[in-house]
Amino acid sequence: MWLRATRRLRLPTRFIQTFRRTMNPPTHEPATSGTNGRDTEQDAPPEAALMPGETVVREGRAAILFPNANEVFYNPVQEFNRDLTCAVITEFARETLAQKGVRVVVPGERERVVVCVSENKESTDGQVVKDEEEDGLASISVGEQCQQGLRILEGLAASGLRSVRFALEVPGIRSITANDFSARAASLIARNANFNKVSHLLQASQRDASMLMYESRGRKERYDVIDLDPYGSPSPFLDAAVQAVGDGGLLCITCTDMAVMAGNSGETCYSKYGSVSIKAKFCHEMALRIILHSLDQRAAVYQRYIEPLLSVSVDFYIRVFIKVHTGQATVKNSASMKYSAATGPPVQENCQHCGQKHQLGGPIWAEQLHDVPFVQKVLSAVSSNPTRFGTSKRIEGVLSMVTEELQDVPLYYTLDHLSSTVHCNTPSMLQFRSALLHAGHRVSLSHACKNAVKTDAPSRVMWDLVRCWEKINPVKRERLSETSPAFHILSTEPLLQACFDLREDANPQSRRRHLTRFQENPQANWGPKARAKAGGGLSSGLEDRRKRFQNKRKLQITDSAQLKNFPCKKFRKGTCTHGEECCFSHELEQPGTEEKVD
């Protein structure tokens, strides 16, 4: 049985003081104009509503009670995750209920528009196209119970903040189950439901998340939406989740174990997700494809398959939104497009460009990461109602980049890595994109990495462009080792004559419009917080350990002369080219001089 400690929220003092002044429960009425999508301040609730030491956190339209602010944490960076989830589930509810003759009404949404930012669409900057009106449908508003609506499960709810926001901000809901294994968390969820007056929609549950989902595998008991946002890896819950979601239902999965999925521990990644991760520049998109492959593999066991709607890598986590369908014939296509064994491309032992050995990773999801028409609908809803979410500008920027990505090209290059491989200056992004377009290839950016180059050009063309750029910005080749990748790459003459003249279509529309695509870190040590203890409270000293050990030696060496005490690894392999000038020791240990240990 899988157990989970309750996640708790720690508030900075400035947040506590602010929220104590505005701790009124939200109403179900839409926010008036000029309030930036937030409820206007009302009289604070009576003191009897709060227990000693409690405080209130406001996010979106929700006001959440938290006990003893000195022991819990609240991470405001995850507001983007929760805002995006509300936007996606709202659009999913709109599509699902429209088939049942029900129209959802979102506060502040006056006119439905479709915003076209993809370069593949014939549109101009800022052009909008009105969507078809939904006439003759029954309407359902936020906060109203819909008997034909969605049944939502939040398996690891902690304080219930996410579920309360669903009840207050997503229309077309039949019921919400906010579950947590901790009795204290389940009690807090129930209090927060009452405090926000959504008890008619939200029910607290104290169960093991996996067992709760396993018991909901029947066709009539399955949920329409399941949201899993665990601390670390979601792998223990995936098998139950793909069974407990209805046919055509929505799974929302968060992974915060990025060290494992980004290649720091390939064997651990294989044990959890069935894929070997690679430590490469494209690791963040590969992490998305690893979790999608894992979900598809587990669903296939039960004759089910997945349809990714949106897959994003942001901040310190990845988030995927997928539909799960049932169909034996489609399941067979997960291995090959025809019912026979798939074949792989023939490659030599060493890379033909750099002379180094190949690295083997995967298997990974090779199909599209997003459903672009669905993403455009979410983007349209957010753009037409910018006061609905506190992170609307960032959602618009990220989703705009998603619609611009090449959907049929897995992974990407990074511009700085291409240049650093041959030790030359880095061209501007517009210059390199223009060169690819001049060569007749497609190219796009990636939301997962600021310097990413996603293109259908083969690797031979990419290195030819680098060689041509090096001829314009030459490097000192006499300093290159004959065994180095740079020497092998630059020793070959390019077959392609690159043109780096700027093209107008090399600058994507999201960049022209100066959308918020990659925001700066909002504060120091803003990543994932400490894991909760089983008995309550947080692990101690986490921030201190991060400051001491992140990307640093445990024992700092300030004098370079001390490096002579360490053996040179390249000298042992016979590849060191520095000779006596090497800062490490070239003295080999004599056999029999090792210290004897009893």
Side-chain angles (χ1 to χ4, degrees):
M1 182 181 296
W2 292 97
L3 306 182
R4 174 184 171 274
T6 307
R7 295 180 293 169
R8 298 192 170 278
L9 306 178
R10 173 174 297 163
L11 283 152
T13 305
R14 66 179 185 276
F15 281 96
I16 298 172
Q17 294 173 350
T18 302
F19 296 137
R20 280 178 176 167
R21 292 196 300 267
T22 60
M23 54 188 180
N24 56 302
T27 64
H28 292 180
E29 297 299 325
T32 58
S33 60
T35 61
N36 193 27
R38 304 296 191 273
D39 295 329
T40 55
E41 291 192 8
Q42 302 175 355
D43 296 335
E47 294 296 330
L50 298 178
M51 299 177 63
E54 279 190 336
T55 188
V56 178
V57 173
R58 283 187 168 275
E59 185 180 286
R61 296 173 59 87
I64 303 298
L65 301 172
F66 286 113
N68 197 346
N70 294 326
E71 294 184 0
V72 296
F73 72 78
Y74 166 71
N75 193 354
V77 177
Q78 284 278 25
E79 182 180 2
F80 174 82
N81 186 333
R82 292 181 281 267
D83 285 353
L84 181 61
T85 303
C86 289
V88 170
I89 295 180
T90 298
E91 198 57 43
F92 176 76
R94 193 192 309 274
E95 290 185 352
T96 302
L97 296 184
Q99 300 174 2
K100 302 178 181 179
V102 179
R103 178 171 64 91
V104 300
V105 179
V106 179
E109 189 175 87
R110 296 181 180 87
E111 185 179 34
R112 288 282 292 158
V113 296
V114 176
V115 180
C116 296
V117 297
S118 176
E119 296 178 3
N120 298 327
K121 303 295 181 180
E122 296 182 358
S123 62
T124 59
D125 293 352
Q127 177 180 354
V128 298
V129 182
K130 291 184 180 180
D131 197 4
E132 297 180 358
E133 296 183 359
E134 298 170 327
D135 296 329
L137 301 181
S139 299
I140 191 72
S141 301
V142 169
E144 298 178 357
Q145 189 173 30
C146 178
Q147 294 301 323
Q148 296 176 296
L150 305 179
R151 295 178 63 245
I152 302 177
L153 168 65
E154 184 185 6
L156 312 168
S159 65
L161 169 59
R162 192 180 298 255
S163 292
V164 170
R165 288 198 58 185
F166 292 163
L168 293 173
E169 301 177 32
V170 179
I173 293 178
R174 178 181 177 185
S175 65
I176 302 173
T177 302
N179 176 77
D180 200 281
F181 189 75
S182 167
R184 295 176 60 187
S187 175
L188 183 60
I189 293 169
R191 293 195 62 227
N192 281 323
N194 293 328
F195 189 72
N196 289 269
K197 300 179 182 179
V198 293
S199 298
H200 62 294
L201 292 176
L202 195 158
Q203 296 81 38
S205 170
Q206 184 195 350
R207 299 286 306 278
D208 175 80
S210 295
M211 295 305 299
L212 176 61
M213 289 186 287
Y214 277 130
E215 293 175 3
S216 305
R217 292 175 295 175
R219 294 183 180 273
K220 296 183 179 180
E221 290 80 22
R222 291 173 178 172
Y223 293 95
D224 299 296
V225 180
I226 295 180
D227 189 299
L228 296 175
D229 186 9
Y231 187 97
S233 173
S235 58
F237 311 102
L238 298 183
D239 183 78
V242 296
Q243 300 181 69
V245 67
D247 194 12
L250 180 66
L251 270 185
C252 314
I253 309 291
T254 301
C255 305
T256 59
D257 55 335
M258 291 305 296
V260 171
M261 303 191 74
N264 284 358
S265 183
E267 64 278 4
T268 303
C269 185
Y270 182 80
S271 65
K272 291 183 176 182
Y273 302 103
S275 298
V276 177
S277 57
I278 297 178
K279 196 170 186 179
K281 294 294 183 180
F282 50 74
C283 60
H284 292 97
E285 182 178 323
M286 187 171 184
L288 289 171
R289 296 184 179 276
I290 285 176
I291 183 62
L292 290 177
H293 166 74
S294 181
L295 287 165
D296 182 63
Q297 191 176 40
R298 296 168 194 250
V301 175
Y302 308 102
Q303 304 302 316
R304 314 195 80 183
Y305 63 95
I306 69 171
E307 176 191 356
L309 298 181
L310 175 63
S311 310
V312 293
S313 171
V314 291
D315 298 333
F316 52 84
Y317 61 89
I318 58 176
R319 179 79 164 165
V320 295
F321 301 88
I322 66 169
K323 279 185 177 180
V324 179
H325 302 279
T326 302
Q328 184 177 7
T330 308
V331 168
K332 295 180 180 178
N333 292 337
S334 296
S336 173
M337 293 307 296
K338 55 185 179 179
Y339 302 145
S340 61
T343 58
V347 295
Q348 300 175 358
E349 182 179 358
N350 295 332
C351 174
Q352 60 178 330
H353 304 291
C354 66
Q356 306 298 307
K357 291 185 178 298
H358 293 285
Q359 286 185 310
L360 182 63
I364 62 174
W365 176 261
E367 299 297 321
Q368 296 185 357
L369 294 178
H370 324 284
D371 182 352
V372 175
F374 179 85
V375 175
Q376 288 179 336
K377 292 179 181 179
V378 178
L379 175 59
S380 301
V382 174
S383 301
S384 62
N385 190 9
T387 60
R388 184 185 179 193
F389 301 117
T391 61
S392 291
K393 289 185 178 180
R394 191 183 181 197
I395 293 177
E396 184 179 359
V398 172
L399 296 188
S400 297
M401 291 199 69
V402 164
T403 60
E404 293 172 344
E405 290 181 3
L406 295 177
Q407 300 300 317
D408 56 345
V409 178
L411 307 179
Y412 52 80
Y413 301 90
T414 56
L415 194 55
D416 53 344
H417 180 65
L418 290 172
S419 301
S420 64
T421 301
V422 297
H423 309 293
C424 72
N425 296 334
T426 303
S428 69
M429 181 61 73
L430 293 183
Q431 286 177 312
F432 203 83
R433 284 171 58 90
S434 297
L436 284 167
L437 293 173
H438 282 301
H441 297 284
R442 295 178 298 146
V443 60
S444 75
L445 301 176
S446 172
H447 78 279
C449 180
K450 188 174 184 179
N451 298 322
V453 178
K454 185 183 282 286
T455 178
D456 60 353
S459 57
R460 174 187 57 80
V461 173
M462 296 296 291
W463 290 119
D464 273 356
L465 295 180
V466 174
R467 294 182 186 107
C468 292
W469 178 257
E470 189 272 338
K471 290 182 180 297
I472 304 174
N473 302 269
V475 301
K476 297 182 179 180
R477 302 200 181 189
E478 62 273 10
R479 294 187 177 183
L480 300 179
S481 171
E482 294 184 359
T483 59
S484 65
F487 183 86
H488 280 275
I489 293 172
L490 297 179
S491 297
T492 304
E493 287 297 320
L495 301 178
L496 171 70
Q497 297 302 317
C499 176
F500 292 96
D501 295 340
L502 296 184
R503 291 177 46 146
E504 184 178 355
D505 55 349
N507 194 14
Q509 291 194 26
S510 62
R511 196 168 182 264
R512 296 180 199 170
R513 297 169 59 193
H514 303 287
L515 299 179
T516 303
R517 301 174 303 162
F518 303 98
Q519 70 172 13
E520 297 181 357
N521 296 350
Q523 60 189 17
N525 303 315
W526 58 276
K529 302 299 182 181
R531 182 187 294 271
K533 295 180 179 178
L538 301 172
S539 304
S540 60
L542 177 66
E543 301 299 335
D544 292 337
R545 292 198 300 273
R546 280 178 175 168
K547 293 177 181 179
R548 288 199 309 267
F549 299 147
Q550 186 174 19
N551 297 328
K552 298 178 180 177
R553 294 178 181 268
K554 296 183 178 180
L555 299 177
Q556 292 288 324
I557 297 178
T558 57
D559 185 4
S560 60
Q562 298 180 14
L563 295 176
K564 280 293 185 181
N565 297 327
F566 297 90
C568 178
K569 296 181 179 179
K570 291 186 177 181
F571 180 73
R572 290 180 176 178
K573 298 179 181 179
T575 59
C576 182
T577 59
H578 297 288
E580 296 297 331
E581 297 179 358
C582 182
C583 58
F584 294 98
S585 174
H586 283 189
E587 296 181 1
L588 298 178
E589 295 181 355
Q590 298 297 327
T593 60
E594 295 84 352
E595 183 180 358
K596 183 178 180 181
V597 180
D598 293 333

